[in-house]
Amino acid sequence: MNRTYTKDTIEKVGEEVIVAGWAETIRDHGQLVFIDLRDSKGVLQLVASSGTDVFEKLKSIGREYVIRARGVIR
């Protein structure tokens, strides 16, 4: 599976993609964690809910960390 730019995700709703970039904004709302992922083409929001494997990993990410994520575009 190849990396997808954030600008191309609008065409991939319902598909699993891999995205990579910088964690621009991190918001921890207790049961949900939101991260705005920035790459050279735009910004995409990552979301994880408690009880998932990635929830604790996303909570440990700091601002401007470089990350790669795989998930389904909603």
Side-chain angles (χ1 to χ4, degrees):
M1 182 178 292
N2 292 329
R3 179 181 176 273
T4 301
Y5 285 107
T6 57
K7 73 174 184 69
D8 298 326
T9 57
I10 192 81
E11 301 162 359
K12 298 186 182 275
V13 174
E15 294 181 36
E16 185 176 275
V17 300
I18 295 174
V19 292
W22 295 267
E24 186 169 273
T25 306
I26 300 108
R27 295 177 305 283
D28 183 350
H29 291 273
Q31 299 298 312
L32 292 172
V33 174
F34 299 89
I35 293 183
D36 293 338
L37 180 74
R38 182 183 80 246
D39 69 8
S40 63
K41 306 295 181 186
V43 178
L44 176 71
Q45 187 177 74
L46 307 178
V47 181
S49 58
S50 63
T52 61
D53 293 340
V54 299
F55 182 72
E56 291 303 320
K57 288 180 184 178
L58 285 183
K59 287 181 75 165
S60 69
I61 291 172
R63 190 169 190 288
E64 294 301 315
Y65 278 32
V66 176
I67 61 173
R68 181 176 62 180
R70 179 174 51 189
V72 177
I73 298 296
R74 303 265 183 238

